[in-house]
Each structure stands twice: as C-alpha cells, then as structure tokens.
C-alpha cells in the first residue's frame, strides 16, 4: 500500500462526502415536486409526457398500486428488450450485421439482467449486440431500471416520513422525475466529460487494422475448444489483422455508472481503453457510481426530518466502504506468497503486489478501489479481473454483495436495502432500551418484521440453494474453469452477483449454458422483485402509522453508537448466513495457498 | 398471597417444572415455538439414526442426548416461570371453594340457602359476620369490615359500605363484623377470583404483539440457518468432505437462536409474575408491554404525590401575639379534633413548643365540632372561646362579637393561599384573631428523585388535582412533576389523555372511582385500585390489590424491564453464533483440510470435542440464563442512549466473548473426563 494509493482512495471518498448534501437536497426538491433550476427546461417535457401517457400527476398510490405499476412496467420493458434482442437482425443501426441474440435462454437471461439493474452479461457486447440493441434496448433499461430503484427508495422514505396516510406517492411521476431530473442531465454532462478523456462515441463499423507483427494463435472450433490436429497437437492459425470495435460508448458508459448498472459496452467492461481510458475517466466513473446513492442518505434525513440519522447511515456506509477497500488493497499489494524470492515490492519501476488481471494504467490502488465500489454498489462494472485477485482480495467483492450491497449501494436499492437492516437492527436492539422498537417515531411491529425477514430470506434462499445445486450437479460443475475451492467461489460468486443485481462476474465460469442462463435469469428476477414487494409493504405500513414523538427514552438512531450497531448487524447477519460457504471457498483457498496449493 | 418475594429456586416448584418440561415435549405444544420445534425434530432425527449409525456411537449418543436436553431445558424454563403462578393459583383456588349463600327470594324478605356456584348476576344475598362473601357484588345495604387477605395479602380488614366508591366486594373474602346486603354482579366462572386464577396460572396467556413480532424474527432466522446448513452439505460434497447428519444437526441447533427461543415465553410469564409479586394484576400481557412504552404518567396528587392529608406546617401569629400563645390556643382548639389536620396541629405544637396535650376533662371544657354551617371547630373552656377555621368563617364569627380581623392576619392568609397552603385562622372570642395556622400538603419523601429518574427515562409526569391552579402549581413545583392539571374534572382528565394520545403518546393513570372509569378505559395503561368500584376495575387493564397509586411507577419499570430482558437475550443469543461457527466449521472440515484448523482459534482438542462442546454450551446456557429470564435484567433509570450502550456492551459484546470462553472450558472438561 502506498501513500499515493491511499490519497486517491481518500480523495475519492472526500468527493462523495462533498456531493452528498447537494445531491440530497436536489433530490428532495425533485421528489417533493418543488422548484429546481432545471424546471424551465424539464417541466414542459414532463407535462407533455403525462399528457401523452394519460398519467394523472396528482394521483397518490397505495403501496399495492405502486407495486403493481412497477411490476407491470418492468414486465413490459423486459418483454420489449427480449424482442429487440431476438429481432435485431431486422432492425437498423447494425453495421456489423449481427444476427439475433441466441440461444433464446441467453436472450432471456440478458433481458432479465437489464430489467433488474443487474447487467450480468453472459455475452460479449461487441460480437453480440447491434448498436440499436445497445442504445434502444440496453441503454433504455440502464435508465429505467435505475429510475425504478430511485423511485422505490423515495417511496420507502415517504413511508417513514408520512403519518397516518394510506399512500406513498405516484410511481409514474417518481419514474419520470427520476429519469428527467436525476439521471438525464447528469448523464449528458458526464458523457461529454468522458468523451473529453477519450471514450469513443460513434456509430461506425468496426475498424480493421493490420498487426505490426503477425501472431500465431490456437484455432478454436465451433464448440469453443481448441482444434486438435491429426498429430495430436493444437492447430495454429496466423492472425495478421485486428478488429477494433467501435460504437456509441460514452453515452452508455455514463449511465452504466450513474445508474449503477454495470453492463459494459465491450466484453472487457471498464478495463477496456475505449470505456475507461485514463485515471481521470476512472475517477469520473467511480464518482458516478456512488453519487446518487450517497445523496439519497441525505434525502432520507431531509424528508424524515432527522438529518443526523441520514449522516449516521452515511457514516456506517463510509466505514464499511473503507474497511472493504483496505482489505482488497492490502490483500492485493501484499503480493503472492508463492512467488517468494521475486521482487514484489512497490517501486518507481513497478507497482509491486499482485498485478495479475489488473490494468497497468490503474494499478493496484485504483483496481482495489473499483472492485470495492462496484460491489458496494450494485454496479458490477469492472476495471480488473476479480478471478485473478488473491483469494482474500477476491472474497471482499463477494462479501460486499452478500451484505446486500448496502454500502451506498445501487441507486435506490442501496438505501432501501440498508433500511431493511435498520429495521432489523432497531427491532433486535431497540428492545434493550425498555420500549417496544421504534424507528424515527414509527413503531416496528409484527407486520414490519415479517416483511423485513422476507427480504432477508431472499438472499440465502436463491444464492445458497442454486449454488449448492450447481456444485454437485454436472450441469453446474462442468462450467467451472478452476477446480477446488476456487471453482466453488466462481459458482457462489455467480449466483451472489445475480441475486444482488450486481452483475460483476468473478470470471472463470462459463455462464452461457442453459442451466446458468435460466437459473441466473430467475435469480436476478427473484433478487430484485421478491425484495422490492415486501419492502414496499413496509413502506405502506409505516406510512399508515401514528408518529410517536421522540423523548429521552427513545431508541437513538442518530448517534455513533447507532452507526456501530448498524454495522454490527449488517456484518453479523451477513457473516452468519454465508460463513460456511465462504469457509469452503475463498477462506479455504487462502489457507491452502499458504501451504503452496493453488487452483 | 402475602409476601410473594419467593426465591427463584424452590424445590416444590422445580419438581413440578421438571415433570412439566417432559410433558411439554408433545409436538403439538412445541409447534407454538418454531425454534425449539426445530430442535425437537433434530433430536428425533438423530435418535432414529443413532441405532443405524455404526461408527462414532459414543459421540452420536452424546450429541443426541444433549439435543434432547436442549429441548427439555427450554421447556423447563417455561415450566419454572409458570410454576410460581400455579402455586399462587392453588392458594387462590382454596379461597374459591364452595360456600353456601343466603339468597333473597322475592321482595318479602324470605331467604334460601343455595351453593355459591349457582348464583347469577342480579341475585341478592345477605352476608353476616364470619361468613364468606359468595361472589363478586356490590353492597346495597349496610356497612361491614371485610377481610380481603385472600386476595390482597393485606391482613388488616377494610371497610365496605353501600353507596359511594367503597361498595364493591369480592367473592372469597370474608365479612368480619356486621351484616350486608349484596347484589351479585358476576356469573359463575367470571368472578374476579376466577379471572385472577386464570391470570396467574397463565391459562389465558396469549402472545403479546411484541412477542409475536420477535417470534417472527426468530422463525426467520431459523429458516436462514436451515438454508445455510442444508446447503452446506452439497458444498461439503463438492469439497470432498461430506458430513454426518449428527454434525449437521448439531451445527443447525447451535446456530438457530435457541437461547432466546427457549426463554422467550418464560420472560413473558415472569414479567406478569413480577407484577403479581407487586400485587398488581395485569389483565393482558399487552398492557405490560404498553407500560414500558408509556410517555406520560397521570398521577393523582392526593395519596400518590402527597401524603393523604394536609398537615400543619407553621404558626404565624397576629401582631401583638407571640407564637407560643398562638400555638397554645391552636393546640387547645384541636385537642378534641380527631381529623388528621387537627392531630397534625397538636403534633406541631408539641414538636415546636413542647406543649403537651392537657387532660381537659377535669376542666369544664365544651368541644365545638366542625359543622358545615359554621365551618369552624374549637373549644369553650372557662369562659374562653377558641375557634379555628377558614378565614371568612372566623371573620364572620368575630364580626358577631364586634371584632375585626387585623390587616396583618389578612395578608398572611393571602400569602399562604398564594403559596399553595391552606390557612386556618385561630381566634379567641375576646382577644380576636390570634394568628394563622398554615396547613400544607406534604410531598412524600423521595418523590422528587423518582420524577427525576422518570424524566431521565423520557417520561413526563402530570399531577392531577382538584386544587386551584395556585395551590397546584406550588405543589407541582415542590414535588418536581413536569406539569399539572388543576381543578380537574373527569372530563378534563379525559381530554388530557386524548390530547396526549393524539400526539402519539402512551398514557398511564390510576383511578378508583366510577367517574374515573372512562379515563381508565381510554388510557393505554389504566391501573384500577382494588378498593375502587367494580366499574373502575373493569375499565382498567390492571388492578392494584394494594390500592397504592404510587405503584404506577413500578408498573412502568416492570414493563421496561420485560422488554429489555427480551431484547438483551435476543442480542446475546445471536451474538453467540460467532463463537459457535469458529468451533464447528473447522471441526467439520479439518479432517479433509488440516489448514482449516487456522479457524480453530479456541484450539479445541478434537473435531468431536469441538462439536460436542458447542452443543453442550448451547444447552447449558439456557439453564444458566433462567434466573436472569425470571428476574429480568437489571433495570436502571437512565436515558435510552446510555441504556443501549450499557446493554450492547454486556449482551452484545459479552454475547460474542462468553461462548468462546464457555466452549473452551467445556472442551477442556470433557476431554479431561474422557467423554470426547
């Protein structure tokens, strides 16, 4: 670890701290439908949209109507994406003449992936998706799935803030305002900044360039395996030219981060120089991942009238974030113990540590930072290869997702995720002050606990069950690249990432199989919607409740003690659920590495 | 039920509890407790497999036994909590034994003897001295002294009389003197005694709202751990290290929150029992929970904040009169005054001036008692006429005798009235006004400190009084209550409750009269005095058998203690899991992957001893915590933030550390003994 590395990490956190309040105040005004400086431009567009779509903007919804609207919207969007994928051969903006996304289960997996803000990719963008599919299909979902997340978080905040009311807002209005105010303007500015750093933005066919030096590569057959000649040796091909993929990348790149989507335009995601060419573009993208989520903690404080609570939640997130970065950075810069005798020290000539799977232009600090940020949030974009991290370094992103991505988290999803933990923390520890549990003046009762437990059950249910099946059945284990505990980690990571709607791939697992496409697609849908419905039920239930004014006897939710308690509950609930699985995966791998066994 | 501060461990109760613990193994009863039900299923599975397993029989047998012990210990905890109630119920049942009642037939005064169990509401009965009152009712004729010790534990008899707020009588109590005519108000099986028996026995016990919520949380956690353990087997198979069912069930039982699951109902029952020990009967567990949540306490001034009566505090002589002269006259006028105020004047005169009571019978003394017309009392002695009374009454009396009350006395009277006291003017017929006695409400000792504690807990106290605002303000200031309601009428009291509740606050109050009934019903916690009317007792959700209104504060504390105990043990139970993982996980896989012994940070001897130690700890901790569950965690009056910090350290951090020590200790013990 270097001072320079830590400076960059802390500088990043400082930026997030600084954006929290302005972003939070802005979003509060947007969702309270108060005036903002963008109104002169956006308000007419908004009104026009409502007129066209027949939305009554003053109509307030109960949580059930809100949930049904959200589900219908997501269903229709998902079907449309599936159709675009399957029909892209007949659609415009397809200079590479790419055919339908096939097989059908891959198209299903991808449709589920983008609808749920996961952006798990069992395909390579540049060889699968036409420009039209990228822009009208995937980028559309990057906006709307993010807007859904923000809308839901706002609905939950309203539920906490409102007193004896039946309704929690209007889904369509929240969606429109999320998109027009919170997503679009920032993406326009951000995309231009990214272009300035060198991210490409065009609709050209791919470039072909001649290689300076022709290369020999193994010939690969249609079954993705090396072709073996009659002499028993692999058949070699000579490659003389390279295809340089192009596309409208910058516009997609910014929403990929700003909306914590994470689906790369290219297969290499943000490790690709056209997606993320410089340390500056790296910083812009990292900043974009956390900006909205950090702001939402301030919005929580402002809308519920307890700004200190907003900051207490923010602090819990910031501490967990620093712990995560520290762990990855430490694990990766420590180097590989098996390479003893080789100079792995950081110096002016080399970055030191474990550079496998990392881009030299980012180095260890920025790769560790990215891996933490992308899994703290449900972003899932990557700028390095988690599969190539040291076992402990690779475990951190996995654990981050297992903790439900509540460290700032996905836009909206992070906030409503951590609020479920808050409900549980307040319920478990709240009794210890000698009152029935209450949260910001609302009593936490059987119904709320039931719903919070339903949310808490989703993760172990899908992740553990499906990973367990995959680890003993041939259709699961055959996709593993590495044997032993590393292979188990690959499986567990895949389901965790999809259940958490993260979308980052650990790598090493061949995901494009019927089993992984279908089970993964289902995992993503469950991980998103089975969590949202009980969460909205809590919002609706809390909104109806009477407000109990705070007194000296009230459970404090604004103090450092509360922050510590919240962190404790997050860690203990997460650890208790996943410790057995982790102990046979990355922990075992780490210990085996100590005695010289690698996988 | 005199003093109920019984020791927690009492052999008779323990034996009964051991028996009950076994009876409670009935799966249909266990189903109400999802956590322990899972343990029971696990125990059944291991028992069945025990005889099929060929290897490691000794280990498997021990695991199986300890799993059964876990269930039994939890049942035992519940049975212990119920045991104390059952013992009390037995005592009460004796009081309920069949008696013969003299029922009045028709209007001609004819009586018939019928068993008390045949009495219906509306029947009229006569009860004479030494007879038991056959059922609950209301005296409609007569007055009697009644021994209510069977219910209240208080041996001194109480007076019950027709009309007013002291007319209610309870079945099972005994008339000591006189004869009363009682109108029966309850049907058989619905009497106060019946309800009381059901309550202390826990027969009608229903889970309280918070208990239900907590049960859902525990059930949810159980499902999560079930998933974690069930899916561990495929991962283990993948890793080439499949596990036996015994080890998997052990892991599951250790992880699911058995500590709180096993003690939860005991905590609830013990909370109700603690109230009973304070001679308070809660009609529902919900009321006890609400008591913990109370934000506002409405306290009647008289009897709660102040001693029942006003007392003489000071003599202020008129100009030209010495204090001693005034004291002397005041004492003289009060010697025959048997009212508490009168007696307090005699006491003050004695304390301050050493004036002893004089034997007046030898003199030609004529006592003038207080009447509503004169509003004065006094004595005529050898031509003297000493009077004391309200200022305007004495003034009228002196005017008749052509004397004026001096200005100095008038200002003293005003001053005393303004400061919240009651002025009594003392006058002699010929000498005129001698001065003023100040009567004051005396605030009970220690009340100010208790109100300070309540304030620290975030509870507001409101004093309710019929006094004028001036007097009320003065007493409120002296007692240290947060607010007061002066010249309170039942309607104003009701409005105050509703206003507080509209702000989202929970209100507790005490009351006894029939006109308190609506407010008692409206309040979230309404404690009716046992001496009160039937209507008041029915309206409230608690009855204080001692009829001591100060007890409201204890009721609140018991409610808080109940909730704290629940929360603390839940936190403890969950925190325990960390150590259990570190015991069992390395034990499971160290055979295949010796490197995993790095996780065996307790350095437990063998994989078998590690698993066994964790299971034994898990079972034994239930027994170890029974006293805490029954007594409740120590309660301290402090703000929520301080309480939380304290309890998080003890039960959260302590809950993480203690099992590390406990499991290590058990491991050392069982390897030494050779059990593993």
């Amino acid at each position: 670890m270097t001072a320079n590395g830590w400076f960059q990490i802390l500088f990043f956190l400082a930026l997030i701290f600084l954006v929290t309040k302005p972003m939070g105040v802005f979003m509060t005004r947007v969702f309270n439908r108060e005036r903002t400086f963008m109104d002169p431009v956006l308000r007419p567009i908004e009104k026009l949209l409502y007129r066209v779509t027949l939305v009554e903007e003053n109509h307030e919804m109960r949580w059930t109507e809100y949930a049904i609207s959200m589900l219908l919207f997501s269903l229709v969007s998902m079907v449309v994406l599936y159709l675009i994928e399957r029909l892209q051969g007949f659609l415009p903006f397809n200079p590479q003449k790419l055919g339908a996304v096939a097989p059908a289960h891959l198209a299903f997996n991808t449709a589920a992936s983008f609808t749920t803000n996961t952006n798990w990719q069992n395909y390579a963008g540049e060889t699968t998706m036409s420009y039209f599919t990228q822009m009208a299909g995937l980028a559309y979902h990057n906006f709307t799935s993010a807007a859904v997340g923000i809308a839901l978080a706002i609905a939950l905040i309203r539920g906490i803030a409102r007193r004896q009311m039946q309704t929690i807002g209007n889904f369509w209005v929240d969606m429109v305002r999320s998109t027009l105010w919170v997503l679009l303007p920032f993406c326009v500015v951000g995309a231009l900044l990214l272009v300035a750093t060198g991210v490409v933005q065009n609709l050209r066919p791919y470039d072909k360039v001649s290689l300076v030096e022709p290369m020999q590569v193994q010939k690969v057959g249609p079954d993705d395996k090396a072709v073996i000649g009659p002499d028993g040796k692999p058949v070699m091909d000579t490659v003389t030219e390279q295809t340089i993929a192009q596309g409208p990348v910058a516009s997609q790149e910014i929403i990929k981060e700003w909306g914590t989507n994470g689906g790369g335009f290219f297969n290499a995601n943000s490790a690709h120089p056209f997606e993320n060419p410089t340390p500056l573009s790296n910083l812009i993208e990292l900043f974009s991942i956390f900006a909205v989520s950090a702001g939402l903690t301030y919005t929580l404080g402002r809308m519920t009238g307890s700004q200190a609570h907003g900051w207490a939640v923010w602090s819990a997130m910031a501490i967990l974030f620093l712990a995560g970065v520290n762990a990855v950075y430490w694990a990766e810069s420590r180097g590989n113990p098996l390479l003893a005798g080789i100079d792995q020290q950081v110096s002016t000539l080399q970055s030191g540590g474990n550079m496998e799977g990392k881009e030299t232009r980012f180095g260890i600090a920025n790769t560790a930072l990215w891996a933490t940020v992308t899994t703290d949030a449900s972003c899932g974009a990557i700028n390095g290869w988690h599969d190539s991290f040291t076992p402990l370094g690779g475990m951190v992103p996995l654990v981050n997702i297992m903790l439900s991505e509540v460290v700032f988290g996905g836009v909206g999803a992070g906030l409503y995720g951590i609020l479920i933990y808050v409900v549980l923390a307040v319920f478990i520890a709240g009794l210890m002050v000698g009152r029935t549990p209450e949260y910001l003046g609302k009593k936490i009762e059987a119904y709320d606990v039931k719903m919070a437990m339903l949310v808490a059950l989703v993760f172990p249910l899908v992740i553990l069950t499906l990973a367990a099946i995959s680890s003993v059945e041939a259709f699961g284990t055959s996709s593993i690249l590495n044997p032993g505990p590393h292979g188990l980690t690959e499986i567990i990571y895949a389901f965790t990432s999809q259940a958490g709607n993260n979308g980052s791939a650990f790598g090493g697992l061949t995901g494009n199989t019927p089993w992984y496409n279908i089970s993964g697609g289902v995992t993503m849908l469950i991980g998103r919607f089975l969590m949202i419905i009980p969460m909205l039920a809590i919002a609706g239930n809390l909104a109806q409740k009477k407000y109990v004014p705070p007194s000296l006897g009230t459970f404090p939710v604004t103090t450092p003690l509360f922050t510590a308690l919240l962190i404790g509950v997050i860690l203990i609930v997460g650890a208790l659920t996943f410790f057995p699985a982790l102990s046979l995966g990355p922990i075992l791998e780490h210990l085996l590495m100590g005695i010289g066994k690698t996988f | 039920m005199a003093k109920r501060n019984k020791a927690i461990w009492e052999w008779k109760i323990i034996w009964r509890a051991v028996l009950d613990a076994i009876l409670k193994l009935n799966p249909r009863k266990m189903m109400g407790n999802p956590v322990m039900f899972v343990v029971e299923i696990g125990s059944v599975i291991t028992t069945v497999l025990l005889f099929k397993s060929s290897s490691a029989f000794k280990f498997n047998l021990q695991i199986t036994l300890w799993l059964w012990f876990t269930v039994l210990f939890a049942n035992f905890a519940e049975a212990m909590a119920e045991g104390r109630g059952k013992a009390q119920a037995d005592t009460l049942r004796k009081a309920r034994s069949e008696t013969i009642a003299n029922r009045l037939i028709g209007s001609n005064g004819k009586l018939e003897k019928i068993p008390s169990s045949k009495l219906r509401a509306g029947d009229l009965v006569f009860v004479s001295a030494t007879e038991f009152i056959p059922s609950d009712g209301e005296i409609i004729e007569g007055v009697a002294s009644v021994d209510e010790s069977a219910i209240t534990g208080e041996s001194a008899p109480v007076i019950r009389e027709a009309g007013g707020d002291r007319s209610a009588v309870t079945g099972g109590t005994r008339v000591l003197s006189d004869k009363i005519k009682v109108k029966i108000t309850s049907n058989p099986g619905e009497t106060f005694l019946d309800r009381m028996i059901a309550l202390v026995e826990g027969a009608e016990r229903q889970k309280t709202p918070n208990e239900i919520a907590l049960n859902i949380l525990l059930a949810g956690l159980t499902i999560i751990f079930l998933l974690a353990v069930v899916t561990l087997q495929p991962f283990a198979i993948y890793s080439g290290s499949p596990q036996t069912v015994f080890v998997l069930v052990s892991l599951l039982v250790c992880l699911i929150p058995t500590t709180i699951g096993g003690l939860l109902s005991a905590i609830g029952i013990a909370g109700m029992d603690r109230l009973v020990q304070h001679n308070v009967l809660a009609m529902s567990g919900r009321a006890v929970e609400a008591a913990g949540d109370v934000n506002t306490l409405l306290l009647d001034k008289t009897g709660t904040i102040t001693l029942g009566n006003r007392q003489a505090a000071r003599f202020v002589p008129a100009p030209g009169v010495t204090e001693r002269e005034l004291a002397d006259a005041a004492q003289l006028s009060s010697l025959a005054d048997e009212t508490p105020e009168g007696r307090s004047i005699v006491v003050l005169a004695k304390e301050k001036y050493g004036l002893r009571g004089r034997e007046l019978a030898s003199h030609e003394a004529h006592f003038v008692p207080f009447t509503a017309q004169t509003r004065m009392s006094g004595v005529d002695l050898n031509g003297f006429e000493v009077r004391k009374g309200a200022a305007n009454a004495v003034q009228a009396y002196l005017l008749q005798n052509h004397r004026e009350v001096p200005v100095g006395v008038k200002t003293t009277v005003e001053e005393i009235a303004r400061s919240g006291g009651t002025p009594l003017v003392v006058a002699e017929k010929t000498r005129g006004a001698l001065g003023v006695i100040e009567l004051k409400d005396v605030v009970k000792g220690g009340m100010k400190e208790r109100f300070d504690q309540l304030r620290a807990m975030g509870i507001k106290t409101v004093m309710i009084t019929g006094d004028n605002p001036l007097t009320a303000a003065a007493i409120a200031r002296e007692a240290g209550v947060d607010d007061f309601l002066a010249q309170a009428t039942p309607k104003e009291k009701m409005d105050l409750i509703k206003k507080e509740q509209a702000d989202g606050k929970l209100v507790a109050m005490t009351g006894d009269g029939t006109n308190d009934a609506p407010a008692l019903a409206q309040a979230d916690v309404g404690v009716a005095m046992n001496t009160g009317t039937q209507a008041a007792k029915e309206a409230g959700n608690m009855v204080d058998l001692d009829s001591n209104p100060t007890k409201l504060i204890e009721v609140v504390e018991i409610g808080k203690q109940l909730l704290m105990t629940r929360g603390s043990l839940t936190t403890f139970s969950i925190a325990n899991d960390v150590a259990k993982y570190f015991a069992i996980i390395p034990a499971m896989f160290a055979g295949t992957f010796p490197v995993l012994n790095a996780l065996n940070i307790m350095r437990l001897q063998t994989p078998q001893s590690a698993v066994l130690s964790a299971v034994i700890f898990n079972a034994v901790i239930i027994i170890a915590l029974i006293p805490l569950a029954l007594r409740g965690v120590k309660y301290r009056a402090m703000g929520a933030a301080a309480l939380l910090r304290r309890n998080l350290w003890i039960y959260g951090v302590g809950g993480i550390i203690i099992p590390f020590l406990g499991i290590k200790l058990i491991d050392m013990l069982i390897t030494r003994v050779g059990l593993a």
Side-chain angles (χ1 to χ4, degrees), chain A residues 427 431-437 443 446 453 457 464 468 471-472 484 487-488 546-547 549 551-555 576 580 583, chain B residues 210 213-214 220-221 223 231 234 238 292-293 455 457-458 501 503-504 560 563-564 567-568 571 577 581 585 640 644 647-648:
Chain A
F427 186 80
L431 284 169
M432 284 198 291
V433 305
R435 288 172 67 86
T436 56
K443 285 283 175 203
M453 282 319 284
L457 269 174
L464 291 175
S471 64
V472 285
L488 187 62
K546 250 190 186 173
Y547 175 75
S551 72
L552 277 175
T554 309
F555 184 87
L576 292 183
S583 65
Chain B
N210 178 260
L214 191 51
L221 286 175
I223 298 173
T231 57
Y238 169 92
D293 279 350
R455 200 169 302 116
M457 286 152 52
Q501 286 175 336
D503 292 341
K560 284 192 175 297
L563 295 171
M564 277 168 52
S568 300
T571 308
D577 282 0
Y581 263 137
I585 293 289
L644 181 64
N647 287 330
L648 266 183

Side-chain angles (χ1 to χ4, degrees), chain A residues 490-570:
Chain A
E490 288 170 357
I491 294 176
I492 294 173
Y493 196 105
F495 286 104
T496 308
S497 174
Q498 294 181 82
N501 297 145
N502 184 279
S504 70
F506 194 63
L509 189 81
T510 309
N512 191 9
T513 68
W515 164 249
Y516 282 108
N517 272 333
I518 292 168
S519 65
V522 171
T523 300
M524 289 185 274
L525 294 172
I526 290 176
R528 175 87 163 179
F529 298 109
L530 277 197
M531 286 206 177
I532 288 175
I533 292 168
M535 184 279 296
L536 276 178
I538 292 177
N541 195 43
L542 288 182
Q544 288 176 13
K545 291 189 184 187
K546 250 190 186 173
Y547 175 75
V548 184
S551 72
L552 277 175
T554 309
F555 184 87
V557 291
T558 55
T559 58
L561 183 68
F562 170 76
T563 301
L565 172 72
L566 180 57
I567 293 173
V569 167
I570 292 171

